[in-house]
Amino acid sequence: MEDLQEFPLQVKLSFAKVLEMLKKRMHQSQNEVTKNYLKSILDYAESFPELINGIEDPEKIDEYQEILSTLLDNLFPAALTKNEIKAATIPFKNKIFNPTRRFASIIEDAGEDFDLTIRNLDPNYSYIIGCVIILNSYYNYDIDFKRPMFYEIPDKNGVIRTYRASMNADFTFCEPTENSIEITQEIVDKLIENGDNVDLWKEYFPPQSWILKGLTILNLTDVTVDDSISDLKSTLLSKRNLKQGSTAKQFQSIFSSIFNIPDLRVGFTEFDKEEDYFKRMSGGDAASFILNEETRSDCRQSMCDCSYNTLIHDKKYFVIPDVEDYAKKNENEVLAQNLLKQDIKSCMLAPITMGNELLAVLELVSSKRNSLHSLNATKLDDVMPYIISTVERKKFEEENRIKAVIQNECTSIHPSVLWIFEEEAKRFISNQNEGKFAAFKDIAFEDVYPLYGQIDIVGSSDERNKAIQQDILIQLELVHGILELALESNPIPIYEQVKFRIQEFTEEIKERLNANSESEVFALLQEEVNPLLSHLNTKIPELKREIDNYKKSINKDTGLIYRNRKNYDDKVQLINQNLATFLDRKQQEAQQIFPHYFERYKTDGVDHNIYIGASMTPKEKFNKVYLYNLRLWQLCTMCEMENHFYHKQEGIELQLDAASLILVFSTTLSIRYRMDEKKFDVDGTYNARYEIIKKRIDKALVKGTDERITQKGKIAIIYSQDADAEEYTRYIKYLQRKDYLGSEIEYLELEDVQGVVGLKAIRVNVLYTSKLPRSNDEETITYEDLMEILD
């Protein structure tokens, strides 16, 4: 600490305690030679009273070099000066004197600009240490405040060495000033309870209120390897994986300190047991010196038999002290050439194993010959357990992540109902542990309210058939053109006959595309056209260009042109993905209303199911107000999805239309998670009626007409009870006021469909805006709004 103005102690260099020790030894010694020697030192010290009273200015020390060395001669034996890392210091000041030869050499190698400071020392903590020293030395308390102190000092090669500091304060003592405060046991108890409150400590130990006289003896111990291993453990524990660039730099610095090699580089290569391949870490920044610029490589091709057997079969360290000599002995080996290309002169490859399974290879390399060898390879023995543990954890986390993705993408366990699955899983595991019969029971929820909605592409079947028709006609036209050229070159009957068949199919497809048209055309192409084209390709060379162009235009997997159909399918897929993403985002808002089960799936549009009820959320009290709020949210969201549907088609040539519906089901039902289908479904015969309505409702007709209930630009709300109509009429009026819905409202009855009778509908037009659906920053539906609607 350079600035001690904000410190409880006035620090002065004093040899009073050292002289006390020398006097005591002189009186206790029976040896006349020793007595005379010590007396001469004490007599010599009397000529310098300032060394006893105390020197405040650290720079004055240089004036007393000779006397300081003499007084400390007993504490600094000359025989140990080349071995011990030791020096005298002024307490709490960054000033050392009388260093051993080894200490002086270490500081000299660090460079002129190096500043010797304790690592991570908090000034507030230093202030409190000063106060505790007063309590312990003056008031004779025994308060433990010691903690490890470390210095980080670069050596002449720039490698950071770590030294643990040991301070001997036997030659110091404290004195109060007129500004000091008498400390009682009550104050000490209060201070200990508030060990981190520096302001409180300053209240009882004001700055400069005490004097500390004496000197301290500083001993350093090189703990670079131990500290580096500790840093490595901390790094591995704090990082979730080994692929971050900052971690790679930390590894390089840590291993460089452990091996004392300035240019040491660290690499990491994963091992694929199934294919016996080395591969670069997925998505990572870690270097791979085995692979160099490759992303993966066959192990047998990458290594010689010796390196392969040592590293992969025996799972032992493989060390190459001299890469150039190794390369000469293994001229054609890929590993040797890869190492030379990367300016590597010595290397060490360490297998990372779990049990008997090789997971990866740790690579240490240097640009200097013999820097890495079989003797210093043993340093890895201390660090490999931590690296292996981290790689095991990474592998475990990756497997869990894969399972989580599969669960998220391939099953329907929504977070809102995960709690009951976890309870059942705990019961299942408990039965297994106790040796009982363990079976995962079906998960069921009773008395839940269902909500169903869908937004479908209008006339999707017609549009898809139209795209298929266009592709077939294009393909038939191409074949027809080739046959005409063939007839001009060589008019034989078989060409004429196949051409006639093509014309026949063309006229039929133009008139009408039926369910068998595509398969019939495919059979014609496979059985008659393709063999003929193969013949023409060799018989009439002039047709090769046209035939090649034809083959390029068809899909290799199906043998058919897939241009318009692909355009349509891609468009539908893109729209569906946008709608699904939009609905997922809106659904997160809906969960804030009340936790509920939600699922959605994509067909020619996006459908969604919602279930809400008391049985699904036992920790929260359910009220039907939440159901009403969710119904209003659903209607509002469907309006926004309609807008989203059309905005996402702006600038696209193929324009599609959408029609939306909502099914209102006022009575509760039970749902059960089907283990075989991995999804929730209604439970029981009575509840099955709901599923029947869902599957058939979008094709229902308005009573007495041939008009489908779902129409583009409108939302159809299907219901069976008049109370539902009244409820949704209020919602519609509210959304009309919010400019979501228009004024065209129809109250309709539906034709009976198989198994479903007595349904009615409200149909209302959607208002489309010139911008994307309303953002969260705009006015949203509040609880007060809902209460106003329901009144």
Side-chain angles (χ1 to χ4, degrees):
M1 295 175 60
E2 293 297 330
D3 183 13
L4 293 180
Q5 294 302 312
E6 279 295 314
F7 198 61
L9 294 160
Q10 301 174 34
V11 179
K12 297 181 180 181
L13 174 65
S14 170
F15 280 77
K17 285 282 186 179
V18 174
L19 295 177
E20 283 182 19
M21 177 205 58
L22 294 177
K23 286 179 182 179
K24 188 175 182 180
R25 284 188 59 194
M26 184 182 71
H27 293 311
Q28 292 176 343
S29 176
Q30 303 298 319
N31 188 304
E32 288 298 321
V33 175
T34 301
K35 281 186 174 183
N36 292 333
Y37 168 69
L38 294 174
K39 186 176 184 305
S40 65
I41 293 176
L42 292 170
D43 292 341
Y44 181 45
E46 288 179 359
S47 305
F48 302 93
E50 63 270 29
L51 294 180
I52 298 172
N53 297 329
I55 300 174
E56 291 189 51
D57 186 1
E59 300 305 322
K60 286 190 176 182
I61 293 178
D62 297 335
E63 301 173 12
Y64 301 93
Q65 288 292 338
E66 185 178 345
I67 179 61
L68 297 182
S69 178
T70 302
L71 293 176
L72 295 173
D73 188 55
N74 284 272
L75 300 174
F76 288 79
L80 301 178
T81 190
K82 292 183 179 180
N83 184 50
E84 289 187 331
I85 311 173
K86 187 175 180 181
T89 71
I90 301 177
F92 294 101
K93 292 196 176 183
N94 206 19
K95 180 70 175 179
I96 64 170
F97 56 93
N98 202 58
T100 62
R101 192 172 298 177
R102 185 178 176 191
F103 195 119
S105 176
I106 289 171
I107 298 300
E108 183 180 349
D109 289 342
E112 294 181 1
D113 298 332
F114 176 72
D115 185 21
L116 186 67
T117 55
I118 296 173
R119 182 175 72 188
N120 300 329
L121 184 63
D122 184 355
N124 287 338
Y125 180 72
S126 299
Y127 195 100
I128 294 173
I129 287 178
C131 300
V132 174
I133 286 174
I134 297 169
L135 292 174
N136 286 351
S137 64
Y138 188 82
Y139 290 99
N140 295 318
Y141 283 98
D142 187 18
I143 300 172
D144 185 9
F145 66 95
K146 294 178 182 179
R147 53 177 286 188
M149 294 183 294
F150 298 93
Y151 289 100
E152 291 183 343
I153 307 173
D155 66 12
K156 59 184 177 182
N157 295 317
V159 176
I160 301 298
R161 312 293 298 174
T162 303
Y163 299 88
R164 180 185 286 114
S166 174
M167 296 284 188
N168 184 341
D170 291 344
F171 306 105
T172 62
F173 61 95
C174 292
E175 295 176 346
T177 69
E178 59 183 13
N179 297 323
S180 61
I181 298 172
E182 183 65 26
I183 305 299
T184 64
Q185 181 65 52
E186 184 181 355
I187 293 173
V188 173
D189 293 341
K190 184 178 180 181
L191 290 171
I192 290 176
E193 289 179 7
N194 297 274
D196 57 349
N197 188 345
V198 69
D199 292 331
L200 180 65
W201 287 81
K202 285 182 178 180
E203 182 181 335
Y204 294 103
F205 295 94
Q208 303 286 296
S209 60
W210 287 77
I211 296 173
L212 177 67
K213 291 184 179 181
L215 60 89
T216 51
I217 306 300
L218 171 64
N219 282 277
L220 300 184
T221 305
D222 190 337
V223 292
T224 302
V225 174
D226 292 339
D227 191 59
S228 296
I229 291 174
S230 177
D231 283 347
L232 178 65
K233 288 161 60 178
S234 299
T235 301
L236 294 173
L237 289 172
S238 64
K239 302 293 181 181
R240 294 188 62 81
N241 48 54
L242 306 178
K243 67 182 181 182
Q244 300 178 9
S246 59
T247 309
K249 290 180 181 178
Q250 278 184 286
F251 274 11
Q252 192 156 307
S253 175
I254 290 169
F255 278 103
S256 182
S257 295
I258 292 174
F259 283 85
N260 197 24
I261 300 175
D263 70 332
L264 190 75
R265 289 178 282 165
V266 181
F268 191 88
T269 302
E270 291 186 347
F271 175 70
D272 188 334
K273 178 183 176 182
E274 300 300 323
E275 299 186 23
D276 200 29
Y277 261 73
F278 285 131
K279 62 180 181 179
R280 194 176 294 276
M281 183 184 293
S282 55
D285 298 324
S288 171
F289 304 111
I290 292 176
L291 296 174
N292 194 8
E293 296 177 353
E294 299 294 325
T295 55
R296 55 182 285 155
S297 174
D298 185 287
C299 294
R300 285 287 187 184
Q301 295 178 3
S302 300
M303 317 186 89
C304 65
D305 289 341
C306 177
S307 57
Y308 180 90
N309 290 331
T310 302
L311 192 64
I312 297 176
H313 186 267
D314 298 335
K315 299 174 182 63
K316 296 180 179 178
Y317 300 155
F318 183 71
V319 185
I320 309 176
D322 189 340
V323 172
E324 290 180 347
D325 182 62
Y326 174 78
K328 289 177 183 177
K329 296 175 181 177
N330 302 271
E331 293 182 6
N332 299 320
E333 193 201 24
V334 175
L335 175 62
Q337 299 307 315
N338 275 342
L339 294 176
L340 288 176
K341 288 176 185 176
Q342 298 169 85
D343 190 32
I344 295 170
K345 300 297 174 61
S346 61
C347 84
M348 187 181 298
L349 306 178
I352 299 172
T353 60
M354 183 171 63
N356 198 38
E357 179 184 354
L358 178 65
L359 302 177
V361 177
L362 174 69
E363 309 163 328
L364 305 179
V365 302
S366 170
S367 58
K368 291 183 181 179
R369 175 176 166 269
N370 289 333
S371 287
L372 294 162
H373 45 75
S374 58
L375 295 177
N376 61 11
T378 56
K379 291 186 177 185
L380 282 178
D381 294 346
D382 296 324
V383 302
M384 287 306 290
Y386 308 115
I387 295 176
I388 290 170
S389 175
T390 301
V391 174
E392 286 180 356
R393 188 179 75 243
K394 176 179 178 288
K395 182 181 176 68
F396 179 73
E397 288 175 353
E398 239 177 37
E399 290 173 351
N400 281 349
R401 188 177 180 186
I402 290 169
K403 291 176 182 176
V405 169
I406 292 172
Q407 176 177 306
N408 185 56
E409 298 297 326
C410 305
T411 67
S412 301
I413 303 178
H414 192 266
S416 62
V417 296
L418 186 59
W419 63 271
I420 196 169
F421 285 88
E422 290 175 344
E423 286 186 0
E424 181 58 25
K426 290 175 184 176
R427 187 197 62 80
F428 180 90
I429 293 170
S430 176
N431 285 346
Q432 278 189 330
N433 293 339
E434 294 173 10
K436 298 178 181 178
F437 174 73
F440 207 96
K441 295 179 181 178
D442 281 353
I443 305 295
F445 294 103
E446 296 181 351
D447 296 325
V448 295
Y449 292 92
L451 292 85
Y452 173 75
Q454 71 174 42
I455 177 169
D456 270 354
I457 295 172
V458 176
S460 57
S461 298
D462 293 339
E463 288 293 337
R464 183 174 282 103
N465 287 340
K466 183 179 177 182
I468 294 171
Q469 184 183 40
Q470 290 172 340
D471 285 340
I472 291 175
L473 290 174
I474 291 171
Q475 188 163 1
L476 293 176
E477 185 178 345
L478 288 174
V479 174
H480 186 270
I482 293 171
L483 291 174
E484 281 191 334
L485 292 174
L487 285 167
E488 290 176 7
S489 176
N490 188 11
I492 60 176
I494 188 63
Y495 300 166
E496 187 69 42
Q497 188 268 335
V498 175
K499 178 187 171 186
F500 173 76
R501 293 267 289 146
I502 294 296
Q503 289 173 333
E504 216 176 20
F505 267 100
T506 300
E507 291 172 4
E508 183 181 326
I509 298 296
K510 281 182 179 179
E511 183 177 344
R512 183 173 58 89
L513 184 74
N514 58 46
N516 297 323
S517 296
E518 191 172 11
S519 60
E520 290 173 355
V521 170
F522 180 77
L524 171 67
L525 294 171
Q526 289 292 102
E527 296 170 10
E528 300 184 41
V529 173
N530 290 347
L532 182 57
L533 292 181
S534 298
H535 165 75
L536 292 173
N537 203 22
T538 56
K539 187 71 175 176
I540 309 176
E542 294 81 1
L543 293 180
K544 187 177 187 319
R545 181 179 175 183
E546 283 73 15
I547 295 173
D548 287 345
N549 288 337
Y550 168 77
K551 288 181 178 179
K552 288 178 183 178
S553 65
I554 63 177
N555 184 280
K556 293 181 180 179
D557 296 326
T558 63
L560 298 170
I561 286 181
Y562 187 55
R563 190 183 308 159
N564 290 286
R565 214 173 334 171
K566 185 177 186 303
N567 185 30
Y568 176 81
D569 289 342
D570 289 348
K571 174 73 180 296
V572 170
Q573 185 178 4
L574 178 62
I575 289 174
N576 284 350
Q577 187 57 51
N578 284 328
L579 288 175
T581 302
F582 178 81
L583 182 57
D584 289 343
R585 189 170 66 251
K586 295 293 293 184
Q587 218 285 314
Q588 292 174 8
E589 300 172 16
Q591 289 292 340
Q592 303 304 314
I593 298 172
F594 192 82
H596 55 274
Y597 178 80
F598 169 84
E599 66 179 1
R600 59 112 180 109
Y601 38 94
K602 294 176 283 188
T603 53
D604 280 346
V606 176
D607 299 10
H608 66 268
N609 284 317
I610 295 175
Y611 298 105
I612 184 172
S615 62
M616 304 188 84
T617 51
K619 293 183 180 180
E620 297 191 41
K621 189 175 180 180
F622 176 73
N623 189 295
K624 286 193 75 173
V625 169
Y626 298 124
L627 171 64
Y628 301 145
N629 207 333
L630 201 57
R631 285 175 172 174
L632 179 55
W633 168 87
Q634 182 188 39
L635 181 56
C636 177
T637 300
M638 294 296 288
C639 294
E640 292 187 354
M641 288 180 70
E642 281 268 354
N643 273 270
H644 201 75
F645 178 90
Y646 287 104
H647 277 285
K648 286 300 178 181
Q649 293 189 79
E650 289 179 359
I652 299 177
E653 183 179 349
L654 177 60
Q655 294 292 308
L656 302 174
D657 291 313
S660 301
L661 71 78
I662 290 173
L663 174 60
V664 185
F665 201 79
S666 293
T667 56
T668 60
L669 46 75
S670 298
I671 59 172
R672 183 177 297 274
Y673 188 82
R674 309 291 181 186
M675 291 298 171
D676 54 344
E677 298 179 4
K678 296 293 185 287
K679 62 175 290 188
F680 275 103
D681 204 351
V682 294
D683 190 29
T685 306
Y686 172 76
N687 296 325
R689 179 174 179 269
Y690 175 71
E691 286 295 324
I692 295 171
I693 296 174
K694 274 173 39 179
K695 292 176 181 177
R696 298 174 181 172
I697 194 62
D698 64 327
K699 295 180 175 59
L701 303 177
V702 177
K703 197 164 190 176
T705 71
D706 293 329
E707 180 186 345
R708 291 265 293 265
I709 187 61
T710 52
Q711 294 292 315
K712 68 176 182 178
K714 297 182 179 181
I715 293 180
I717 303 166
I718 314 300
Y719 66 95
S720 59
Q721 299 182 19
D722 292 340
D724 298 331
E726 293 174 7
E727 178 186 341
Y728 274 85
T729 298
R730 293 195 293 268
Y731 298 157
I732 290 169
K733 288 180 180 179
Y734 174 77
L735 292 178
Q736 285 174 331
R737 193 172 70 202
K738 295 283 186 179
D739 294 329
Y740 278 76
L741 296 172
S743 58
E744 302 172 14
I745 303 178
E746 304 171 87
Y747 292 89
L748 308 167
E749 292 186 20
L750 304 186
E751 290 281 4
D752 295 341
V753 295
Q754 185 180 358
V756 181
V757 296
L759 292 179
K760 300 176 183 178
I762 305 174
R763 199 163 61 184
V764 59
N765 65 308
V766 179
L767 293 182
Y768 298 103
T769 65
S770 58
K771 59 179 180 177
L772 284 174
R774 301 144 177 90
S775 67
N776 293 335
D777 297 331
E778 297 187 38
E779 188 178 359
T780 56
I781 300 166
T782 65
Y783 179 80
E784 289 74 18
D785 292 330
L786 181 64
M787 291 300 98
E788 179 186 341
I789 297 165
L790 296 177
D791 286 343

